[in-house]
């Protein structure tokens, strides 16, 4: 019987803005001018190199960034180094713009909850099922949840950069189950990555996957959880 739920963050509960919105916000902050053609080419390169955390995966990985990329969520320093390296590899070399781009993705304005995120979390809260957010991440996402009115619906945050361990290592899922005070077999893991979030299976957790899609293309992937859990 499911007694609690663990959720991934990016692509599961919330989605980061588009690369174009991300770039436009950073340019506006820095006051750096960019023509339409230059803007489009820069956005294309940033997408190609997967430079937006939470955005599309890199299509190209420079050899010197392979190790930082693999370990990016273990610490805040490694996360910043990996993504600033990808921004630079994409051709953005102005230090002020590199900083603005990296910092922008950590702001609440860069994230949007999926339409059914709050209703699903509220339904779980009403029925007494505790919730943990388990994320591979290099920064503190709690302010994002507070800004979007979701923090009161989360009982525990287990973040890779704070633990020094990233999914799919079972250690991170065990930490979440312990904080919820539940046995792994009683905690459902919900995420968008078969590889990372699927690691919960090693502990005996049931797992449910959703698709990592733009917010306007995924209106109701979480709501069926209530049926799955017999809570609808």
């Amino acid at each position: 019987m499911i007694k609690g739920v663990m959720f991934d963050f990016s692509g599961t509960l919330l989605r980061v803005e588009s690369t174009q919105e991300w770039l436009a916000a950073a340019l506006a902050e820095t006051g750096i001018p960019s023509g339409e053609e230059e803007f489009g080419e820069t956005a294309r390169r940033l997408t190609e190199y997967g430079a937006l955390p939470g955005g599309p995966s890199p299509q190209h990985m420079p050899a010197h960034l392979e190790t930082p990329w693999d370990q990016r969520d273990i610490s805040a320093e490694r996360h910043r180094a990996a993504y600033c390296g990808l921004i630079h590899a994409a051709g953005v070399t102005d230090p002020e713009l590199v900083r603005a781009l990296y910092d922008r993705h950590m702001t609440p304005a860069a994230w949007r909850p999926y339409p059914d995120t709050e209703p699903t979390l509220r339904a779980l809260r009403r029925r007494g099922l505790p919730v943990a957010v388990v994320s591979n991440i290099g920064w503190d996402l709690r302010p994002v949840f507070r800004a979007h009115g979701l923090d009161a619906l989360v009982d525990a945050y287990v973040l890779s950069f704070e633990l020094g361990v990233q999914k799919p290592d079972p250690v991170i899922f065990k930490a979440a189950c312990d904080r919820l005070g539940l046995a792994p077999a009683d905690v459902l893991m919900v995420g968008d990555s078969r590889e990372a979030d699927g690691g919960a299976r090693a502990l005996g957790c049931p797992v449910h996957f959703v698709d990592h899609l733009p917010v306007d293309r995924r209106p109701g992937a979480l709501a069926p959880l209530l049926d799955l859990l017999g809570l609808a």
Side-chain angles (χ1 to χ4, degrees):
M1 178 179 177
I2 301 301
K3 299 178 181 178
V5 184
M6 298 182 284
F7 287 96
D8 172 52
F9 165 53
S10 174
T12 300
L13 293 177
L14 293 94
R15 166 83 179 213
V16 75
E17 64 191 347
S18 70
T19 304
Q20 290 78 9
E21 292 169 315
W22 174 56
L23 176 58
L27 289 170
E29 179 193 332
T30 58
I32 295 173
S34 178
E36 183 176 345
E37 185 175 342
E38 180 185 8
F39 178 90
E41 178 59 18
T42 301
R44 185 194 67 76
R45 290 198 310 267
L46 289 167
T47 301
E48 183 179 345
Y49 280 88
L52 170 59
S57 297
Q59 300 170 36
H60 302 293
M61 180 60 61
H64 71 283
L65 291 176
E66 288 178 1
T67 298
W69 173 257
D70 290 340
Q71 301 176 351
R72 66 192 181 278
D73 294 316
I74 291 177
S75 73
E77 295 76 19
R78 295 185 188 192
H79 192 272
R80 180 179 289 271
Y83 279 103
C84 287
L86 289 171
I87 292 169
H88 197 276
V92 177
T93 57
D94 185 310
E96 186 181 7
L97 183 54
V98 172
R99 177 203 57 76
L101 283 167
Y102 183 78
D103 290 350
R104 165 70 186 181
H105 93 277
M106 298 185 289
T107 65
W111 294 89
R112 299 185 185 96
Y114 284 97
D116 56 349
T117 290
E118 182 175 354
T120 299
L121 293 179
R122 288 198 179 281
L124 293 172
R125 177 54 52 94
R126 284 196 302 271
R127 289 159 176 79
L129 272 71
V131 166
V133 172
V134 185
S135 178
N136 280 353
I137 198 165
W139 49 278
D140 186 4
L141 52 72
R142 294 173 183 87
V144 174
F145 278 74
R146 287 196 291 270
H148 289 287
L150 302 172
D151 182 61
L153 304 175
V154 177
D155 299 281
Y157 295 93
V158 182
L159 311 181
S160 62
F161 85 103
E162 294 179 339
L163 202 63
V165 176
Q166 58 191 24
K167 298 181 287 188
D169 193 318
V171 168
I172 194 168
F173 301 108
K174 179 64 163 58
C177 292
D178 288 347
R179 292 185 194 182
L180 294 181
L182 296 172
D186 296 331
V187 183
L188 175 69
M189 176 66 209
V190 182
D192 66 294
S193 170
R194 266 67 178 172
E195 178 184 1
D197 300 313
R201 285 200 177 105
L203 282 181
C205 298
V207 180
H208 178 77
F209 295 110
V210 295
D211 292 325
H212 188 153
L213 294 171
V215 168
D216 60 356
R217 291 175 52 199
R218 211 196 77 187
L222 294 174
L225 285 176
L226 303 180
D227 291 323
L228 180 68
L229 298 173
L231 299 176

